[in-house]
Amino acid sequence: METKIVSMTEEQPDREALRLAGEILQKGGLVAFPTETVYGLGGDALNPESSKKIYAAKGRPSDNPLIVHIANMEALKKIVKEIPREAYLLADAFWPGPMTMVLPKSDAVPYETTGGLETVAVRMPVHKTALELIECSGGYIAAPSANTSGKPSPTLAKYVIEDLAGKIDMIIDGGFVGIGLESTIIDLTTTPPQILRPGYITEEMLQKVLGKVEWDQAIIDADSKQAPRAPGMKYRHYAPKGELTIVAGPEADVIAYINRHVEEDEQKGEKTGVIATSESAAGYRAQVVRVVGSISNEEEIARNLYGVLREFDEDGVTRIYSEGFWKEGLGEAIMNRLLKAAGHKVVWVGNNK
Ligand code: AMP
Ligand code: MG
């Protein structure tokens, strides 16, 4: 299949291309597009055939549900059984924006889109190109991240092209995305509501709106220092080709540990890489040292993380080490993705227990 590639910005939309993209979606085709979080791979959320195509293009297991993207509150009514008060409160506070809520689905949403679940995940993005595309497409776009399953989510169109060119109808290049990590997912079908995936909208922000919120047990297990309990968590997500290890503890101990291991790895013929901050980078002796941002700027780290992971692939790095980051606020989301990328391989150094 030939993939049509078009470029536009939020400020200067290409209306003709958007109209064409909307037509492709309405006919059951797939279009990748920018959002404020990461690039999405879109299909008509109400068409089971489109959802099947999304799973096939990504190589994603079909029991991993898709998020339905809408452009206005009116659209929500058709795809959920009822809209609880909490949903209005969350929408008021965070929509349009990087927050996804899970609600009981209506019959309009096929099981192909929800991975067989009775619930549907819904988000209203704030990116203008995404919103216009949703309007042009009939109002409901199912869109997971536009990457091959298992790889880091794309923050630039060139990574979408790398993974999906030839497999989908169209790619809209909208430049670098703003946030760089996927949306926060909050499940409103449980009491209290549960955070299923941390993101830019933090636990504290959700608490201000909802009162009590809890973490999904799977995240608690995965983030603990013990081996994960749920078997699915052993699988790597967002993963670079090289083997990634997170080294956590006091900075001096982390640097010493990583440099020692880099040297050993290189003696064995490995190509080594380190994910560092602008503050620590000069201390590392690996062949490739990539700065993900400043330790004092979590937004910068979030925005650069997936790109840095992809760049190690381009360099052919086979052993990667990363510092750990503070797990508070946006740091929760950063560490959540990094842990998955590392397959939960974490080494604690120093006297940090
Ligand atoms: P991605 O599309 O790559 O951003 O991933 C979407 C995420 O949303 C997946 O990890 C799903 O597990 C989650 N998700 C989507 N729909 C639901 C749902 N109905 N219930 C729980 N999680 C969901
Ligand atoms: Mg994804």
Side-chain angles (χ1 to χ4, degrees):
M1 174 189 297
E2 200 196 320
T3 303
K4 189 174 169 59
I5 300 173
V6 297
S7 301
M8 68 185 81
T9 62
E10 285 187 84
E11 293 71 37
Q12 288 190 304
D14 178 342
R15 295 252 146 71
E16 184 46 35
L18 283 167
R19 196 192 53 73
L20 178 64
E23 232 174 74
I24 291 171
L25 289 167
Q26 295 199 26
K27 284 190 190 143
L30 303 185
V31 177
F33 60 100
T35 80
E36 71 275 21
T37 57
V38 298
Y39 275 79
L41 172 58
D44 177 356
L46 307 187
N47 179 348
E49 296 311 315
S50 301
S51 292
K52 282 189 201 160
K53 282 190 198 167
I54 292 177
Y55 288 109
K58 277 179 69 81
R60 173 167 171 151
S62 60
D63 59 355
N64 192 355
L66 309 175
I67 294 174
V68 179
H69 293 68
I70 58 174
N72 53 63
M73 270 313 266
E74 197 49 37
L76 185 59
K77 292 181 186 152
K78 182 171 163 186
I79 55 172
V80 302
K81 273 221 172 85
E82 64 201 340
I83 307 180
R85 194 178 140 264
E86 290 82 5
Y88 284 110
L89 294 175
L90 283 179
D92 263 355
F94 306 119
W95 276 0
M99 186 268 315
T100 298
M101 45 182 145
V102 173
L103 292 164
K105 82 172 191 72
S106 75
D107 293 339
V109 187
Y111 289 111
E112 282 79 0
T113 300
T114 67
L117 298 176
E118 294 298 339
T119 54
V120 61
V122 192
R123 174 164 111 83
M124 190 192 297
V126 71
H127 197 288
K128 290 198 186 80
T129 310
L131 286 172
E132 285 203 40
L133 181 64
I134 297 166
E135 304 267 15
C136 291
S137 74
Y140 301 93
I141 300 185
S145 49
N147 53 284
T148 300
S149 186
K151 288 230 252 166
S153 302
T155 48
L156 282 170
K158 75 167 177 175
Y159 299 130
V160 181
I161 294 169
E162 218 171 86
D163 285 10
L164 297 175
K167 297 182 180 167
I168 63 177
D169 300 279
M170 189 171 183
I171 296 172
I172 300 178
D173 183 346
F176 199 29
V177 299
I179 292 177
L181 298 179
E182 302 85 347
S183 61
T184 304
I185 304 182
I186 177 111
D187 186 351
L188 291 183
T189 67
T190 60
T191 316
Q194 281 192 1
I195 299 172
L196 302 185
R197 176 170 76 187
Y200 187 82
I201 305 297
T202 64
E203 176 184 23
E204 203 190 350
M205 291 157 82
L206 293 167
Q207 272 166 350
K208 278 196 186 134
V209 176
L210 295 173
K212 196 170 160 48
V213 298
E214 281 178 354
W215 288 89
D216 175 35
Q217 190 60 39
I219 296 178
I220 298 171
D221 291 347
D223 287 4
S224 73
K225 291 180 199 172
Q226 282 95 45
R229 275 208 320 245
M233 282 177 188
K234 290 197 299 255
Y235 301 120
R236 291 170 85 202
H237 276 274
Y238 318 117
K241 291 187 191 124
E243 190 182 322
L244 172 62
T245 305
I246 301 170
V247 185
E251 189 184 82
D253 297 300
V254 169
I255 293 178
Y257 177 96
I258 291 178
N259 281 340
R260 207 165 59 240
H261 282 262
V262 156
E263 202 170 305
E264 282 174 24
D265 292 340
E266 284 171 16
Q267 276 163 11
K268 289 181 208 148
E270 304 281 358
K271 184 162 183 188
T272 60
V274 171
I275 300 176
T277 60
S278 41
E279 289 80 3
S280 67
Y284 291 108
R285 292 198 296 266
Q287 280 157 286
V288 183
V289 178
R290 292 206 178 277
V291 173
V292 70
S294 163
I295 193 73
S296 61
N297 188 344
E298 286 179 330
E299 303 209 347
E300 188 186 13
I301 294 173
R303 207 179 306 126
N304 291 327
L305 180 64
Y306 288 146
V308 163
L309 290 172
R310 291 244 179 192
E311 284 167 4
F312 282 120
D313 288 353
E314 288 163 22
D315 295 332
V317 170
T318 56
R319 282 275 191 283
I320 307 166
Y321 296 89
S322 176
E323 301 174 10
F325 297 95
W326 281 111
K327 284 182 52 187
E328 247 170 59
L330 185 52
E332 285 278 5
I334 294 168
M335 274 308 280
N336 172 267
R337 306 310 195 276
L338 203 53
L339 281 162
K340 286 192 177 179
H344 297 277
K345 213 166 147 218
V346 186
V347 179
W348 291 85
V349 295
N351 53 10
N352 198 316
K353 293 264 153 47

